[in-house]
Amino acid sequence: MTQNSDLLQTRENALNNANTLISMPAAKPSYKKPSYLRIGILLGMTTLAMNAQADTTNTDEYRGSAAVVDTSAPIAALSKLTSLDDTTPLKVTVPTIQTFRTQSGVPVRFVQTTTLPIVDIDLRFNAGSARDGSIRTEGFGIANMTATMLTQGAKDLDENAFTRAVETLGINLNSSAYKDMFIVSLRSLSDDKHLLPAIDLMTQMLSEPTFDDDILARNKARLLVGLQQQKQDPNSLASIAFDQALYGEHPYAHPSAGTLESVPSIDKQQLIDFKNRYLVAANASIAMTGNLTLDQAKNLAENITNELPTGQPAADLPEPKPLNQAQHIHIPFPSTQTTILMGQLGSKRATNPKDQQQQTNFAVGNEVMAGGNFNARLMTEVRQNLGYTYGISGSMNPMLARGPYQIGFATRNDKALAAIDASLDVITNTLDKGITSSEMRLTTDNLKNSFPMGFASNTGINGLLGMMNFYQLPNSYLTDYIDRIDQVKLAGVNQTLRDTLKPEDFLIVTVGQDDPWKDKKTKK
């Protein structure tokens, strides 16, 4: 979720890649060093891209008949395609969304798709790890452990029997906790023989989980091993330190999985308390996509929510306070490379048209400056021109409260400070001079043309429905997507970038052998 709200992912589709237009919780980006095979591929792609740029210098000379195309030079041939000049404006028909509420008041969004005999159900609660502290002070990891144990036994089914039932039906039944949200998801065949027993398992795990003490002890032991292993992962170290420094005492500051200090004290009663307080109808929303009629969808929604206690909606999260000056944190780590995270407090999920347009403006500008593609300014300068890193990108992760804006990459230890300075120079230059109209046009065209890929599958559609339901966005949020992009103006994009980003106050976390600022501090 955001997430992890829970709202940073190589190039993704247009919705996730900006992460501020239409996004789902997702895992944070990894900046691990790629394999030598991948390095070779990336270098090859860079060479091809450079050749293509050279070959398009005199593009107009080649726009003639296909007879002049040199088939021995495939990259050059791309610059001679004339069909791209005649493209008509993209016409997109978004899925038809039907909305209703269950008798217990749970909002439901449903899209009927009959291409495949499957159903996807997404049940979301305003109940992520940001709520851990409300169950026990510094009870970090309670939401995560609750999600883990929901699928490890329910009612009269122990762990093995529950797993056999899931495997026999051939369904996917999962639960997970992010910073903002708690998600229970189901994918099943749509015939009654499979779907109805699947719904029954789903309701059992929500209403009568066993939370077996022996399984809890095993889970905690495994989790502690994983948390110890995180100490050997520079990306994890950087991410944890970044969140702690950026959020301080805010509930977003701690890792969703918990800490080495908090996990051992998690007990069964805390899991029960979390479930009873947050996994309730007043705190829930449902997204449903698949081979169902509207009446069938309504019946299934009632079956899912009948056993949920009514409860109370979760309280609003406090707003975090932004840093008012730059902060540099270095974590010593025995490595030939330094992992770097830099950024600041970002925005919360926009729920009104004006703020949504602002987030669209920012997404377009940030894609030009810090997108994951080879045309982005940071990638061009820091990777291609200076050779400091294999890849660098940044994104906004809006959540219920203000999420982070992060830029991440890794570089040689002796180049860390130079790479940081070069990155800040690119950002500052972009804010001072702005992006160009051609850069903006390329980005908006790409976002519009790739937009339909966001709902090319049941999973994609249901993810969008779940996100819109959780943040209480109107159906027009999806249907107006293209309009928001068309309303993007160059001046608005550049002004939004300046209003949002403050590189002089960036939080910068480095994990590596040497402190990049050591020599600078010595000179001072």
Side-chain angles (χ1 to χ4, degrees), residues 13 95 111 113 116 118 120 187 289 452-464:
N13 64 43
V111 169
T113 60
L116 296 173
I118 58 175
D120 284 285
R187 164 168 278 199
T289 303
M453 295 301 295
F455 43 84
S457 66
N458 279 21
T459 302
I461 295 171
N462 216 49
L464 293 175

Side-chain angles (χ1 to χ4, degrees), residues 40 47 110 188 195 368 439:
T47 303
F110 167 62
S188 170
L195 183 55
V368 173
E439 288 174 319

Side-chain angles (χ1 to χ4, degrees), residues 56-189:
T56 55
T57 303
N58 298 311
T59 301
D60 291 339
E61 298 178 13
Y62 300 111
R63 291 183 177 174
S65 70
V68 300
V69 175
D70 180 4
T71 57
S72 66
I75 299 303
L78 292 176
S79 67
K80 306 175 182 64
L81 293 175
T82 58
S83 60
L84 296 178
D85 298 332
D86 303 322
T87 55
T88 57
L90 179 67
K91 293 183 179 180
V92 178
T93 302
V94 300
T96 300
I97 303 174
Q98 302 182 75
T99 61
F100 58 91
R101 285 182 179 269
T102 66
Q103 292 182 2
S104 56
V106 176
V108 183
R109 300 200 194 198
F110 167 62
V111 169
Q112 182 182 37
T113 60
T114 58
T115 305
L116 296 173
I118 58 175
V119 173
D120 284 285
I121 298 173
D122 182 306
L123 177 59
R124 300 194 183 200
F125 299 93
N126 184 348
S129 61
R131 310 294 176 176
D132 287 344
S134 65
I135 302 301
R136 181 176 62 83
T137 302
E138 296 188 351
F140 310 140
I142 292 176
N144 176 71
M145 187 61 71
T146 303
T148 299
M149 296 198 66
L150 282 186
T151 58
Q152 293 180 320
K155 203 173 181 179
D156 298 327
L157 301 175
D158 62 15
E159 182 182 22
N160 291 332
F162 191 92
T163 301
R164 279 196 301 270
V166 169
E167 292 178 350
T168 299
L169 291 170
I171 61 175
N172 292 330
L173 181 56
N174 303 293
S175 58
S176 50
Y178 304 91
K179 286 191 182 298
D180 264 349
M181 62 182 73
F182 191 107
I183 303 179
V184 178
S185 61
L186 169 68
R187 164 168 278 199
S188 170
L189 291 173

Side-chain angles (χ1 to χ4, degrees), residues 231-302:
K231 292 184 175 182
Q232 305 305 315
D233 178 13
N235 297 297
S236 296
L237 292 175
S239 180
I240 292 170
F242 187 94
D243 284 350
Q244 289 175 342
L246 184 65
Y247 286 107
E249 299 300 318
H250 191 272
Y252 287 167
H254 69 269
S256 294
T259 66
L260 289 170
E261 295 74 28
S262 66
V263 168
S265 59
I266 295 175
D267 61 38
K268 178 176 179 176
Q269 188 57 49
Q270 293 165 8
L271 307 185
I272 295 172
D273 291 344
F274 185 91
K275 180 194 79 69
N276 291 340
R277 182 166 179 177
Y278 292 111
L279 305 190
V280 297
N283 210 32
S285 62
I286 296 178
M288 199 176 300
T289 303
N291 186 29
L292 298 170
T293 65
L294 179 59
D295 286 340
Q296 288 174 318
K298 289 181 176 180
N299 288 334
L300 289 179
E302 292 295 344

